[in-house]
């Protein structure tokens, strides 16, 4: 198992390119199951989750090849082509390693008339039900049952020409909407008979990117990015060539990395338009964010992050887009652990998503958790310590803390980070961080 050793206290300086978004890419890849024509996706990050998805698509008869250019500044190309539509089963072994496997459900069901997907279990950040995905597909006319831990979905009379039927579907829950649930229902509705209206749809940029790909495949979709999405079903979809949006969470992580080390980073391919809640928050903390001209595309600008004289405390509440993203909560907690005063962070999407709290405390942060809220009393400095990565974004928070801490931080189980950040240590090293990857013989407590 790999570990990161970080010798903290170095200001980061230089340029970094923000890669294509993992969370956008996964449902885009699943959309290739909606057609038997080739789909090309550009700027897909070379991550473990992407490779897992390629192998899941392979099991479902969709061939995938990821070409990573020799020059790391050039975007990668993922070619997908569904050639065999006989299998419709996403097995437990795959779904267990990657919850996002669930996003094949809508495409496979709509195109093949049946899908069997192992029910995803909970994960480190809490229970993660898929009831809304299933309710949405049921509203489109699918029959859903549970068999040996698998969700089995069927389109009635598919062999006789039966299709999913357009419907009005409410996808809201007590926390807002569901991102992958919206992706699943929207994808399935593209091949349904008639018009589907998704109310309380997720407004996240990843949903907009999926709608863009589906539209270029021939789907008829209105309103993506708003809480009401209308899909007029079509008979079939064609292939397409699409560039994935840049990763807003990676960009937010790099911004926080610059801020916590009191450094300056210039971020290229930065989706500032999708990051207003984060840049607004960083502004209140005192971090300078200046954005280059964006006549062509506000999702791909150059953005400069410059240091704060003093880190001011803030109040952060995670919310559905365009609110503050839950996926950047741990990183900002690490940052305000060094603020001059008390900050309050409330998690409204995944109330249990606080595994980083105990680890940051080991590094000297002063954190008091009460349910889904953490009061962060800023301290003058953090100290390096061995810590344990527990989930992807919690691990990113620990890396940031390690970059700022005095002395050495060793982060165990960096495979969590590798799921979401491509060659993170190489990229941070390029802008001055003293960070190395090493093998560890981890001691597992009895
Ligand atoms: C996606 C992102 C994840 C991000 C999350 C919230 C991917 C691969 N993952 O996950 O990084 O943290 O959005 O922005 O894109 N819920 C239900 N029933 C459902 C579905 C969800 O109750 O059927 C609840 C969840 O428990 C959670 C909330 O809805 O409290 C939001 O979850 P959701 O938007 O579905 O997250 P994902 O799409 O799984």
């Amino acid at each position: 198992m790999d570990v990161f050793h970080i010798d903290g206290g170095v200001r980061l300086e230089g340029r970094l390119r923000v890669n294509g978004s993992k969370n956008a890419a996964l449902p885009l890849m699943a959309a290739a199951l909606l057609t038997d024509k080739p789909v090309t996706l550009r700027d897909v990050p070379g991550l473990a989750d992407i490779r897992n998805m390629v192998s899941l698509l392979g099991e479902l008869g969709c061939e995938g090849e990821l070409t990573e250019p020799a020059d790391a500044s050039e975007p990668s190309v993922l070619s997908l082509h569904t050639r065999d539509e006989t299998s419709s089963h996403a097995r437990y072994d795959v779904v267990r390693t990657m919850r996002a496997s669930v996003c094949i459900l809508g495409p496979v069901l709509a195109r093949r008339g049946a899908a069997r997907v192992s029910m995803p279990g909970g994960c480190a950040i809490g229970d993660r039900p898929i009831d809304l995905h299933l309710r949405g597909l049921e509203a489109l006319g699918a029959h859903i049952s549970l068999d040996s831990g698998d969700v089995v979905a069927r389109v009635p009379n598919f062999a006789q020409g039966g299709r999913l039927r357009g419907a009005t579907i409410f996808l809201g829950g007590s926390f807002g909407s569901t991102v992958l649930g919206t992706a699943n229902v929207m994808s399935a509705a593209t091949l349904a008979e008639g018009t589907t209206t998704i109310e309380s749809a997720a407004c996240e940029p990843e949903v907009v990117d999926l709608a863009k790909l589906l539209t270029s495949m021939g789907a008829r979709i209105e309103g993506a990015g708003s809480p009401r999405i209308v899909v007029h079903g079509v008979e079939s979809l064609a292939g397409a060539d699409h560039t994935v949006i840049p990763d807003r969470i990676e960009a937010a992580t790099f911004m926080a990395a610059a801020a916590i080390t009191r450094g300056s980073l210039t971020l290229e391919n930065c989706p500032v338009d999708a990051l207003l809640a984060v840049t607004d928050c960083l502004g209140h903390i005192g971090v300078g964010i200046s954005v280059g001209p964006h006549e062509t595309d506000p999702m791909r600008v150059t953005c400069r992050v410059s240091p704060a004289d003093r880190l001011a405390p803030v109040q952060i509440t995670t919310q559905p887009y365009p609110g503050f993203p839950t996926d950047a909560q741990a990183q900002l907690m690490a940052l305000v652990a060094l603020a001059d005063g008390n900050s309050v962070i409330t998690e409204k999407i995944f109330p249990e998503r606080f595994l980083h709290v105990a680890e940051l405390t080991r590094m000297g942060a002063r954190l008091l958790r009460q349910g889904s809220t953490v009061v962060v009393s800023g301290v003058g400095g953090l100290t390096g310590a061995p810590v344990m990565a527990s989930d992807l974004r919690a691990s990113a928070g620990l890396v940031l803390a390690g970059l700022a801490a005095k002395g050495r931080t060793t982060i165990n189980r960096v495979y969590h980070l590798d799921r979401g950040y491509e060659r993170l240590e190489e990229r941070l090293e390029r802008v001055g961080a003293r960070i190395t990857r090493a093998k560890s013989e981890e001691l597992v407590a009895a």
Side-chain angles (χ1 to χ4, degrees):
M1 235 180 266
D2 288 359
V3 302
F4 280 171
H5 296 302
I6 305 174
D7 292 305
V10 182
R11 287 171 194 256
L12 301 189
E13 302 278 350
R15 293 178 92 83
L16 285 171
R17 179 182 187 277
V18 178
N19 285 345
S21 159
K22 166 182 85 77
N23 284 357
L26 292 167
L28 294 174
M29 291 168 70
L33 296 164
L34 286 162
T35 176
D36 56 4
K37 304 289 182 303
V39 171
T40 302
L41 299 176
R42 298 178 192 275
D43 211 5
V44 173
L47 299 168
D49 274 10
I50 298 293
R51 286 187 284 274
N52 285 337
M53 191 65 163
V54 168
S55 67
L56 172 57
L57 294 183
E59 291 192 13
L60 294 168
C62 175
E63 291 169 11
E65 194 183 351
L66 182 62
T67 314
E68 298 195 47
D71 178 353
S73 63
E74 291 291 314
S76 60
V77 179
L78 176 62
S79 308
L80 297 167
H81 194 171
T82 301
R83 294 178 190 273
D84 175 358
E85 301 191 305
T86 47
S87 166
S88 56
H89 188 186
R91 292 178 302 109
Y92 177 66
D93 285 354
V94 187
V95 178
R96 190 173 53 86
T97 57
M98 189 186 51
R99 263 197 101 266
S101 314
V102 73
C103 59
I104 65 109
L105 182 58
V108 171
L109 174 68
R111 172 81 192 174
R112 304 181 189 183
R116 186 179 189 106
V117 177
S118 177
M119 182 79 133
C123 66
I125 63 177
D127 291 342
R128 297 188 64 180
I130 58 163
D131 55 314
L132 293 169
H133 300 232
L134 303 184
R135 221 196 288 163
L137 296 173
E138 244 168 2
L140 291 176
H143 286 179
I144 310 255
S145 56
L146 197 63
D147 177 33
S148 312
D150 292 342
V151 172
V152 181
R154 283 186 197 288
V155 179
N157 304 320
F158 187 77
Q160 291 75 46
R163 288 164 66 187
L164 294 173
R165 288 184 318 272
T168 296
I169 300 165
F170 182 72
L171 273 191
S174 52
F175 38 80
S177 190
T178 161
V179 179
L180 291 180
T182 302
N184 250 330
V185 175
M186 182 170 75
S187 298
T190 60
L191 292 181
E193 205 174 334
T195 296
T196 298
T197 303
I198 307 173
E199 294 286 0
S200 197
C203 303
E204 270 68 2
E206 294 77 15
V207 172
V208 178
D209 205 33
L210 174 61
K212 207 168 150 198
L213 169 69
L214 293 169
T215 303
S216 54
M217 291 166 72
R220 293 176 53 215
I221 301 175
E222 295 151 17
S226 80
R228 175 183 290 167
I229 298 178
V230 178
V231 185
H232 305 285
V234 295
E235 294 265 335
S236 64
L237 294 173
D241 189 322
H242 177 87
T243 301
V244 181
I245 51 169
D247 194 317
R248 62 193 169 106
I249 304 303
E250 181 171 282
T253 305
F254 288 155
M255 287 176 178
I260 203 168
T261 64
R262 309 293 175 104
S264 303
L265 286 179
T266 300
L267 304 181
E268 287 159 11
N269 199 41
C270 184
V272 271
D273 207 41
L275 275 169
L276 298 180
V278 173
T279 52
D280 181 69
C281 176
L282 288 170
H284 286 298
I285 293 173
V287 179
I289 307 274
S290 54
V291 174
H294 50 81
E295 293 89 32
T296 49
D297 188 350
M299 289 291 278
R300 293 185 165 82
V301 300
T302 297
C303 165
R304 185 166 172 78
V305 188
S306 34
D309 296 333
R310 153 189 179 264
L311 297 176
V314 280
Q315 297 209 8
I316 298 172
T317 301
T318 65
Q319 283 170 332
Y321 188 83
F324 191 94
T326 172
D327 287 351
Q329 180 252 109
Q331 300 88 315
L332 267 286
M333 187 182 291
L335 177 61
V336 295
L338 291 170
D340 191 3
N342 297 337
S343 299
V344 179
I345 298 183
T346 302
E347 177 55 67
K348 287 262 171 107
I349 309 290
F350 296 112
E352 297 301 319
R353 192 175 207 175
F354 286 122
L355 289 168
H356 42 289
V357 165
E359 303 300 302
L360 288 172
T361 304
R362 303 188 64 247
M363 299 177 71
R366 285 183 53 210
L367 309 172
L368 176 69
R369 179 176 169 195
Q370 288 282 336
S372 59
T373 294
V374 174
V375 177
V376 185
S377 306
V379 293
L382 297 172
T383 47
V387 288
M388 188 70 77
S390 52
D391 73 75
L392 167 54
R393 306 302 172 184
S395 320
L398 298 178
V399 169
L400 298 187
L403 291 173
K406 190 157 177 271
R408 171 162 286 206
T409 297
T410 298
I411 300 187
N412 290 286
R413 301 191 183 178
V414 296
Y415 59 82
H416 289 294
L417 273 161
D418 292 337
R419 287 188 40 231
Y421 298 90
E422 190 176 357
R423 291 179 282 189
L424 182 64
E425 74 286 14
E426 289 174 26
R427 294 156 83 200
L428 290 176
E429 199 184 11
R430 232 178 290 141
V431 291
R434 288 179 300 197
I435 176 168
T436 52
R437 182 185 287 264
K439 296 272 170 225
S440 98
E441 287 301 318
E442 190 178 340
L443 295 175
V444 180

